[in-house]
Amino acid sequence: MSNDGSRETNGPPSDGVGGSPLSGVRVLDFGTAWAGPHATETLALLGADVVKIESRKRLDLFRTMAGMETTPGFNDINLSKRSLCIDLSREDGRGLARRLTAVADIAVDNYRPGVMERLGLDYQSLSVINPKIICLSVSAFGATGPEASRAGYAAIFCAMGGLAHLTGYPDWEPALVRSPMDLTVANASAAAAVAALWDRDETGVGCFVDMSASDVVTNLIPGAVAAWDLEGVDLNRQGNASSSGHLQEVFPACGEDSWVAVSVWNDEQRESLADFVGESDAKSQLRSWIATRTAPEAADALQRAGVPAVPTMSPIDIIGDQHLQERGVFERLHHPMQGDVLALGRVWRTSSGPQSITRAPLLGEHSREVLGEWLNLTDVEIDHLRDAGVLE
Amino acid sequence: MPDGKPMHLRTTVVELGFEVATAHVGWFFARLGSEVTVVDSNLPTILDHLAKIAGGSGEERDLSSLGLLTLLGGKKFVLSDESTAFAEAIQSAEIILWNSRAQGIATPDALLRRYPQALVVAVTPFGLTGERAWWQANDFLTYHAGGDAYFLPPGAGAGTRPPVAAGDFAPGRMAGWSMLATVLAHARQVRREGRGAILDISRQEALLDLSRVEIARAANSNLVESRFTKGYDTGGIMFARDRPVVLMPLEDHQWQRLFALLGEPDWSQEPEFATRAGRVKHAPELQARLQAWVADHTSDEIYSMGQDAGVPVGVVRKASDVVSAPQTQERRSIASELTPIGRPVLAPVLPFAVRHAEIWSNPDV
């Protein structure tokens, strides 16, 4: 522990009923940037032992953006993992990776289809070594179909999957939802991995899960798909307006770029609103009333009056929010290169109480430790691998 | 597999109260073979309303709500918590999905006391504890409180317009995806250990997970972003002859390929255009030239040329485009299923395929 009480230790989270349901599950993270790493991060936060396979020759995209060990993006997407640095451009490096998959439960990547095949680390190859392995591969359009080889980032699959067309103002260009797309794909991937574990509990065999980011996006627009199918209508974006016509709008509050979202969807709430602002021209009344108050004050007063409302929260609002702090959403960790950092922890609470999370790993920080634990390699054997250049 | 599905989740789930996020979790279980029962006394009203929308014409209708039909597919319904059917369903449930609409039935604590071997998943707007625990909020509101609405729509041109939520069912289903691995993992643990638990899941917190990097940047590097800084200096949304496209060359070599597509005009040969800093410096000119090139072609032409040249490009698709896309058809990403109103409807299925040995399957189809 550092002097101020923040935790400096790194590694898999502590075991415990409720907080570590995936305790004992071993995961290899071959991913980069967002989708693959956050999927395995979710598994790590659920107690899995996640080892990130990295290479100095081909760094995780986020490690290249600012300082290698100090990029907030990397350090927040790779919590509670360990790092093992292998040169996968060498056959003996790939051989070492295959030995690790022999004792792993899940292997995750988010490369374009074909990359893991070229490395000999695809499901076809690994299932021969370990029939229980679950391989999860995340790509923009999936591993099959005419677009399988196409490149994609969040903005592209947001557009191709149909969500961009439906987001934003009707008289303005479509709005691209970006990082939440990557992270939603990651969350869907984590869910598929745990479902595969559950299935393996019964069948005893693993599988290959081929996740399409674009299909995850399409999954978010069933209303538009149904409207097209049943009525031949292509829905358009409608800003913040409710599709059912009830009062739903975002009003400016006092302060720069400060807003209050209001939505009133049942009779009881409508009566409350009428009691609050009067019967006529509720929108104008609300607009005038909210404009003279801060967003938190306005939202709280409206909620107390029975009118559903929230502040549109910025990152600064979220960090300083009393309710979220009370809920224990954030944890303060100590990173040897970054110093004290605030991390968003688990997005659930259990009756067994909180479990700790640990900081993101330094590059190759746990190579010796993981090889000793997973493969029972001795220090001499590990030194040999390092001297030969297999370990970076 | 006995029923042809390549992946199974054999368990029993009860949804107390029908709302999107918990219905999404129940939908996932149902798609993989679990027995899912929805308990909500308002269901007949919801189904009647949806049937009228599906069967009506002319006047303005909430067509988007037809998406609720897909969240009901494959599930059983119990209309009253006082019925024998309800008692049977909840007695055998391994997972009880509870939301605010079920407050009149029982609290999560009471459910766990009564069914100590069940996982009770309490999904509320702001959690079971804390000063906002009593606040009311639908998916639109929790999205605004969840961090991402603040960044939409992105771009300096956002001007004085308010932030917006993502469209269609995205706010509720994104929260649903965010909580699903947690529910699955804890349900698996409860089953193994034979000891129930309560999972307290806040929809706001589930959505915060999706803005975690922006939150981390603001907290740990003094980089405070907004929708005004989230636009693309170069590339981004552009308008082809028929519909918008997204140009997304992020790396220098991708830009060089894009310039080659444009015929390598003189200006692209200047050293400054080889770096991001230089391209940003010349952004107004660059954007204008790209837009002019895009406007000369259809979206399909831009997509084919760009992708074939190794330039990340996408098309802003409508639902009809997604349904008819060859990729969708090949992967069977959207399938027809019978709905509770007696009409089949096209619906997105599980977004992944599963392979055992030599056979590829979508576990949902």
Side-chain angles (χ1 to χ4, degrees), chain A residues 45 79 328-331 343-349 357, chain B residues 209 212:
Chain A
L45 295 178
L79 294 170
V329 161
F330 295 105
E331 293 200 38
L344 184 69
R346 296 180 172 84
V347 295
W348 68 91
R349 313 280 161 252
I357 64 173
Chain B
D209 183 59
R212 61 186 309 118

Side-chain angles (χ1 to χ4, degrees), chain A residues 87-294:
Chain A
D87 183 356
L88 291 179
S89 69
R90 298 167 57 118
E91 175 50 39
D92 47 4
R94 296 190 292 275
L96 182 60
R98 281 191 286 273
R99 288 175 67 186
L100 289 164
T101 61
V103 294
D105 296 289
I106 303 171
V108 177
D109 81 272
N110 58 317
Y111 292 119
R112 272 212 247 180
V115 171
M116 293 299 272
E117 280 88 342
R118 287 195 292 279
L119 292 173
L121 294 171
D122 59 307
Y123 176 67
Q124 186 87 347
S125 307
L126 299 182
S127 58
V128 173
I129 303 168
N130 179 3
K132 299 183 75 167
I133 190 81
I134 294 163
C135 289
L136 170 68
S137 190
V138 188
S139 58
F141 303 104
T144 59
E147 293 178 81
S149 62
R150 302 301 204 184
Y153 300 117
I156 289 178
F157 41 84
C158 176
M160 300 286 280
L163 182 61
H165 173 73
L166 296 165
T167 300
Y169 290 100
D171 59 344
W172 215 53
E173 64 183 39
L176 295 171
V177 181
R178 289 159 57 184
S179 52
M181 290 290 86
D182 275 309
L183 298 180
T184 297
V185 171
N187 289 333
S189 301
V194 182
L197 269 178
W198 192 318
D199 182 69
R200 192 186 73 176
D201 290 343
E202 292 194 14
T203 65
V205 293
C207 63
F208 180 37
V209 180
D210 165 25
M211 180 66 70
S212 160
S214 179
D215 286 348
V216 173
V217 175
T218 301
N219 184 264
L220 306 177
I221 62 163
V225 171
W228 170 250
D229 181 43
L230 293 177
E231 302 298 318
V233 172
D234 255 324
L235 297 181
N236 199 2
R237 47 195 172 279
Q238 50 190 16
N240 287 304
S242 160
S243 59
S244 66
H246 66 248
L247 187 150
Q248 182 164 287
E249 196 159 325
V250 179
F251 301 94
C254 185
E256 185 181 347
D257 200 25
S258 186
W259 307 88
V260 175
V262 179
S263 187
V264 174
W265 64 87
N266 64 35
D267 290 338
E268 187 180 343
Q269 294 159 359
R270 276 186 275 275
E271 284 176 22
S272 297
L273 179 62
D275 288 342
F276 194 76
V277 295
E279 293 279 349
S280 67
D281 200 7
K283 273 191 189 178
S284 294
Q285 301 291 340
L286 269 176
R287 186 178 301 278
S288 302
W289 185 86
I290 290 171
T292 59
R293 289 160 176 81
T294 65

Side-chain angles (χ1 to χ4, degrees), chain A residues 17-18 21 34 38 41 72 76-77 79 124 141-147 150-151 153 155-156 159-163 165-167 169 171-172 176-180 183-184 187-188 191 194 196 198-199 201-202 206-212 215-216 218-226 228-231 233-234 240 243-244 248 250 257 259 261 263 265 269 300 303-304 306 308-315 318-319 321-324 326-327 329 341-342 344 347-351, chain B residues 7-10 24 27 54 61-64 66-67 70 126-132 134-136 138 140-141 144-145 147-148 150-151 153 157-158 160-165 167-170 173-174 177-178 182 184-189 191-193 195 197-200 204-205 208-210 212-216 218-221 227 230 232 246 248 250 254 303 307-308 312-313 315 317-320 322 327 330-331 333 343-346 348-349 351-356 360:
Chain A
V17 172
W34 299 88
H38 184 56
E41 179 181 57
D76 197 75
I77 294 288
L79 294 170
Q124 186 87 347
F141 303 104
T144 59
E147 293 178 81
R150 302 301 204 184
Y153 300 117
I156 289 178
M160 300 286 280
L163 182 61
H165 173 73
L166 296 165
T167 300
Y169 290 100
D171 59 344
W172 215 53
L176 295 171
V177 181
R178 289 159 57 184
S179 52
L183 298 180
T184 297
N187 289 333
V194 182
W198 192 318
D199 182 69
D201 290 343
E202 292 194 14
C207 63
F208 180 37
V209 180
D210 165 25
M211 180 66 70
S212 160
D215 286 348
V216 173
T218 301
N219 184 264
L220 306 177
I221 62 163
V225 171
W228 170 250
D229 181 43
L230 293 177
E231 302 298 318
V233 172
D234 255 324
N240 287 304
S243 59
S244 66
Q248 182 164 287
V250 179
D257 200 25
W259 307 88
S263 187
W265 64 87
Q269 294 159 359
D300 188 66
Q303 286 279 0
R304 289 181 192 282
V310 300
T312 300
M313 296 183 78
S314 69
I318 288 163
I319 291 162
D321 186 64
Q322 180 64 31
H323 170 81
L324 291 172
E326 206 177 313
R327 294 267 302 162
V329 161
V341 295
L342 199 66
L344 184 69
V347 295
W348 68 91
R349 313 280 161 252
T350 66
S351 38
Chain B
M7 184 190 282
H8 286 88
L9 290 180
R10 294 186 214 276
H24 176 79
W27 167 85
R61 290 169 289 150
D62 177 15
L63 293 177
S64 176
L66 292 171
T70 69
F126 298 101
L128 293 174
T129 61
E131 61 184 39
R132 284 202 296 269
W134 57 273
W135 277 28
Q136 301 180 74
N138 55 12
F140 168 80
L141 292 178
H144 271 272
D148 187 53
Y150 184 74
F151 294 110
T160 57
R161 292 198 182 199
V164 293
D168 207 65
F169 279 62
R173 292 200 94 159
M174 286 162 81
W177 280 119
S178 190
T182 299
L184 285 160
H186 281 88
R188 182 172 172 265
Q189 182 186 35
R191 172 183 269 207
R192 287 177 155 198
E193 295 177 359
R195 185 168 40 148
I198 294 175
L199 264 184
D200 168 10
Q204 179 197 27
E205 290 164 22
L208 290 182
D209 183 59
L210 309 180
R212 61 186 309 118
V213 173
E214 286 82 4
I215 294 169
N220 303 318
S221 68
R227 60 191 176 289
K230 279 286 199 180
Y232 291 104
V246 181
M248 285 289 300
L250 294 183
Q254 292 169 345
Y303 181 67
Q307 288 283 357
D308 288 348
V313 177
V315 176
R317 286 178 170 166
K318 300 176 183 177
S320 56
V322 176
Q327 184 72 3
E330 171 85 17
R331 286 180 64 89
S333 311
R343 288 178 69 173
V345 68
L346 284 182
V349 300
F352 56 91
V354 174
R355 178 183 180 188
H356 290 287
W360 279 106

